[in-house]
Each structure stands twice: as C-alpha cells, then as structure tokens.
Amino acid sequence: GAGVSQSPRYKVAKRGQDVALRCDPISGHVSLFWYQQALGQGPEFLTYFQNEAQLDKSGLPSDRFFAERPEGSVSTLKIQRTQQEDSAVYLCASSSRQGRNYGYTFGSGTRLTVV
Amino acid sequence: GNSVTQMEGPVTLSEEAFLTINCTYTATGYPSLFWYVQYPGEGLQLLLKATKADDKGSNKGFEATYRKETTSFHLEKGSVQVSDSAVYFCALDTSGTYKYIFGTGTRLKVLA
C-alpha cells in the first residue's frame, strides 16, 4: 500500500482482556518497528524486526507483550491480560533499510484504552 | 543516558509569524537528529534530518541546524501558515542503532 496501515484505529479493552494490534507496512520494507506513545509523551521504542527476525525486543515493558512478523510483512503486537497502564497509542513504522539516517514511515497508530 | 528536551506547547502564532521550536539533546557518540510532524489524525511524518555537526536539514520552508557545541537542533520557519498546525517531535537515533528517542512533542497552532 501507499503507507503504513494499522488496525484497529481504536480499541477499548476490559482489564484482563487480550488484544491484538495489526500493522501492514509499506510493501517491500524490510525493517519494522513498534513504538508506544502515552498521552502527552513522545513515542517510546518497543521492538524491531528485520524481515521475520525480531532483532530487538528490549523495549517491551513486560512478558505480557509479544510481537511477531511470521512472513516478514504484516506484524501483530499482542498484549495479554491488559492493564490500565497499557492505555496508549501504539505506533508501527517501517523502513526500506536499516533506518539510521533515513527516517521511518509511521502509521496512524492504534489507540488502546483499557477500562 | 540519551534524552531529548523540547519546549512545552502549545505554541500559538498568527499566520506569517516566525516560528522557533527549541530542542536540546543529551547523547553519547554522534547521533543523527530528526524533526517529525504529526498532523491531526495522521501518523508521524519525517520533516527533516541532519546526520552530523553543522549540517542543516530543510524541508517545506522549515530548517534546523545540528549544533554540537550547544547540543541543540532548533526548528525554525520564517512564515508559518494555518496548514502548519500540528504536533512537532524532535528525535535522535542513539549512535549506531536504529532506536529513536523522541521528545514529548510541541503543539503548534497557527491562527488565520
């Protein structure tokens, strides 16, 4: 597609519920990133894929967070047993190459609200 | 550790006014510096970048110069338009990696 597509745009989850957030990167982009943006804050790094390999998951806040990209294109960020502190906008970004010095293309994000 | 500090918003200006949004950073090594813009309802878009000291990034009338001596990367535009209303994020990539560290963002509102 023309840009990075994320779905759903909005998700309301009851505390304890599992959620799955989807990211469709730009076709052919090998690098994919997930960021978490809390209200009034800048995005914070969660995890990085190069093709299907998850090369860095150091930003995932707990073992309730899991990300995958099994075929090197679409990625899913899963949050198990959601907590209120998980409420944030989750941003996906992609790049045609390792992005240092090049910048990334971001999606519009999924706003997750845990009630 | 690495960090980015931006001036707090919102910044409200009249059309054709001069814009400065301050950004300072703390980093080890030699990071690249970026400005991203987020229009309402949209994702972050790369506005401009600079990869080494004294580089000037520019795009759409916006400019920022990588000042190593003052660890700054202030965003400027000589004459803002209503369509520039958005949230602006300063960011750096930690030296040698792909991870971005973002500032908290500065909301700009331009009035006609």
Side-chain angles (χ1 to χ4, degrees):
Chain A
V4 177
S5 178
Q6 292 188 245
S7 61
R9 285 296 305 274
Y10 303 93
K11 176 68 178 178
V12 178
K14 291 185 178 179
R15 192 169 56 183
Q17 186 179 352
D18 296 350
V19 298
L21 312 180
R22 177 187 170 102
C23 173
D24 275 282
I26 292 174
S27 179
H29 276 196
V30 299
S31 297
L32 185 145
F33 308 83
W34 285 97
Y35 280 78
Q36 180 189 57
Q37 186 177 14
L39 188 65
Q41 302 297 314
E44 293 191 357
F45 172 82
L46 293 177
T47 187
Y48 163 56
F49 290 86
Q50 189 165 333
N51 295 306
E52 68 278 6
Q54 188 175 22
L55 300 185
D56 188 337
K57 55 182 181 179
S58 62
L60 297 176
S62 78
D63 59 8
R64 296 186 295 104
F65 287 70
F66 173 75
E68 61 183 6
R69 193 187 185 197
E71 297 178 359
S73 54
V74 171
S75 177
T76 303
L77 177 67
K78 297 179 180 178
I79 309 173
Q80 297 177 324
R81 304 181 305 280
T82 52
Q83 304 295 315
Q84 284 192 315
E85 62 263 27
D86 301 334
S87 297
V89 176
Y90 290 86
L91 298 169
C92 178
S94 70
S95 174
S96 59
R97 45 198 154 180
Q98 188 162 324
R100 180 153 205 256
N101 301 338
Y102 302 114
Y104 308 132
T105 302
F106 281 83
S108 300
T110 294
R111 182 179 296 278
L112 173 65
T113 303
V114 182
V115 297
Chain B
N2 300 310
S3 66
V4 174
T5 302
Q6 286 183 238
M7 63 187 288
E8 287 197 22
V11 174
T12 303
L13 296 173
S14 297
E15 206 166 23
E16 299 183 4
F18 184 86
L19 169 70
T20 301
I21 299 178
N22 290 339
C23 171
T24 57
Y25 68 91
T26 302
T28 54
Y30 304 95
S32 294
L33 302 174
F34 305 84
W35 277 100
Y36 277 81
V37 58
Q38 187 173 33
Y39 298 102
E42 298 184 15
L44 279 76
Q45 300 175 23
L46 179 64
L47 181 60
L48 54 83
K49 62 179 172 67
T51 59
K52 61 183 188 296
D54 300 325
D55 268 4
K56 177 186 282 189
S58 61
N59 186 25
K60 299 181 181 179
F62 291 89
E63 293 182 341
T65 302
Y66 188 161
R67 302 281 189 202
K68 192 168 175 62
E69 64 277 13
T70 55
T71 62
S72 65
F73 192 55
H74 304 321
L75 182 68
E76 298 182 335
K77 186 175 186 184
S79 176
V80 293
Q81 305 301 312
V82 172
S83 58
D84 294 327
S85 298
V87 181
Y88 292 81
F89 291 92
C90 185
L92 64 82
D93 71 340
T94 51
S95 183
T97 80
Y98 40 79
K99 295 179 188 178
Y100 278 15
I101 301 218
F102 283 89
T104 54
T106 303
R107 183 176 298 278
L108 171 66
K109 186 173 183 181
V110 181
L111 304 176

